[in-house]
Amino acid sequence: MLDGKSLTLLIPALLFCGALGAADVKAVNPSKFELTDALIFAAPPRESAEEAVRIYQPMVEYLSKAIGKRIVFKYPRTWGVYRTEMINDRYDLVFDGPHFISYRVEKLGHNVLAKLSDTREFVVVTRKDEKVQTTADLVGRTFCVQPPPNLAALIALSQFDDARRQPVLVPTKGWDKVYNGILSGRCVAGVFPESNLQAIDKERVMKVLYKSPAMPEQALSASPRVSAADQAKIIAAMTAAESAAPTERVRATAKGGERFVRADNKEYTGIASLLKKQWGFYD
């Protein structure tokens, strides 16, 4: 028999579950109960919960209808929550950057289903009037960067093997602020996706100290809990012309291409090595 307290806790959860239709999508707080019969979709907490729902919900609803199963968008409150939930294999479908994707393929058996169509290169830059000529000249100098595990930050740090001989990182949120930090002299150098730098540096006052090899763009990966049949349906849905509207906000935010194309696990091989010095991934 359930006592009054148990019924008080159970009834709202039952009403909530009963209210969700087959293709309904909700943003679920990770601290609350889980919908165990639903697939869990996640993306990094780059924006507020409300903005994240606005960006991702149309795509998640579209995929839910494509496979005929519930998909729940689970918003991670912080990067720490996101890392922990991802490492512990709590997500079924994830859209994020190539270093995280590579890690999940390597460690969790994910398959990469569909990626944004562009490739991405990163550049470490300084002002043209600075005397520094190579990344080695940046040891001990101020460096504006979006904090790790941001991919740009990890690529920049990969140029410095000795943790005792690195730039002094100045955490800076947003590419415009990174640029202004260098321009104002707050930082000697910084790192950008090359396409972002070209858009911001209209006066061409920056010089490039390092350019990374091209790598595949952000993508959607699926855990082994998503059946092969459903993975195939998701690939077909993401690469179909009909995906343009439901993925519009995702593509506009990611700025990684005008469409989604089919992806291959091999494209992401080795990129996870950028995470080896980040706590929690390979500890």
Side-chain angles (χ1 to χ4, degrees):
M1 295 289 292
L2 294 171
D3 58 23
K5 182 178 180 181
S6 298
L7 284 171
T8 300
L9 294 172
L10 180 61
I11 288 172
L14 291 174
L15 290 174
F16 182 84
C17 290
L20 288 175
D24 287 333
V25 180
K26 302 290 181 183
V28 178
N29 187 312
S31 66
K32 297 183 179 180
F33 68 91
E34 308 248 350
L35 298 175
T36 55
D37 59 340
L39 295 174
I40 303 300
F41 170 89
R46 300 186 183 104
E47 52 278 308
S48 68
E50 293 75 17
E51 180 64 11
V53 170
R54 190 187 76 84
I55 293 168
Y56 294 108
Q57 182 167 323
M59 185 175 82
V60 177
E61 286 180 333
Y62 172 68
L63 295 179
S64 183
K65 291 174 182 176
I67 65 174
K69 294 178 182 176
R70 274 192 301 186
I71 301 176
V72 173
F73 174 36
K74 187 173 183 180
Y75 177 77
R77 299 185 306 276
T78 66
W79 278 95
V81 168
Y82 183 69
R83 178 194 62 219
T84 301
E85 295 284 280
M86 178 173 59
I87 289 171
N88 290 330
D89 198 18
R90 303 275 173 77
Y91 300 140
D92 301 302
L93 294 163
V94 193
F95 176 80
D96 59 7
H99 51 324
F100 294 132
I101 294 165
S102 177
Y103 177 86
R104 291 193 301 275
V105 170
E106 177 187 330
K107 292 289 188 178
L108 303 177
H110 272 228
N111 282 323
V112 195
L113 306 184
K115 64 176 182 175
L116 289 164
S117 55
D118 289 351
T119 57
R120 184 160 293 201
E121 295 136 320
F122 293 84
V123 288
V124 174
V125 304
T126 187
R127 297 188 312 276
K128 287 181 178 177
D129 60 359
E130 278 286 350
K131 294 181 180 179
V132 296
Q133 298 299 321
T134 70
T135 54
D137 298 328
L138 297 176
V139 172
R141 309 294 295 275
T142 51
F143 193 89
C144 279
V145 64
Q146 302 208 54
N150 178 274
L151 180 57
L154 297 181
I155 287 174
L157 288 173
S158 72
Q159 300 305 299
F160 304 91
D161 295 332
D162 188 343
R164 297 167 299 180
R165 292 185 54 77
Q166 291 183 342
V168 177
L169 300 188
V170 179
T172 309
K173 188 173 182 179
W175 302 121
D176 287 344
K177 290 183 179 179
V178 172
Y179 182 81
N180 289 332
I182 304 168
L183 195 63
S184 68
R186 180 170 178 250
C187 297
V188 172
V191 60
F192 299 85
E194 185 180 37
S195 57
N196 291 76
L197 178 66
Q198 289 176 350
I200 298 170
D201 188 27
K202 294 181 171 53
E203 302 299 321
R204 300 295 184 258
V205 299
M206 299 293 172
K207 64 181 176 183
V208 174
L209 303 177
Y210 169 77
K211 181 176 178 178
S212 75
M215 61 179 61
E217 261 290 351
Q218 296 185 69
L220 179 69
S221 76
S223 82
R225 292 182 296 276
V226 181
S227 70
D230 284 343
Q231 290 189 29
K233 290 177 184 177
I234 290 171
I235 292 170
M238 290 294 290
T239 56
E242 292 76 16
S243 71
T247 67
E248 180 179 6
R249 291 171 184 164
V250 177
R251 291 181 287 107
T253 302
K255 295 181 174 62
E258 296 182 356
R259 66 190 190 281
F260 277 92
V261 297
R262 185 164 185 163
D264 187 278
N265 290 357
K266 292 179 180 178
E267 298 174 81
Y268 293 84
T269 300
I271 304 175
S273 63
L274 292 168
L275 292 166
K276 287 190 173 178
K277 294 180 181 179
Q278 296 299 302
W279 182 85
F281 289 94
Y282 286 90
D283 293 346

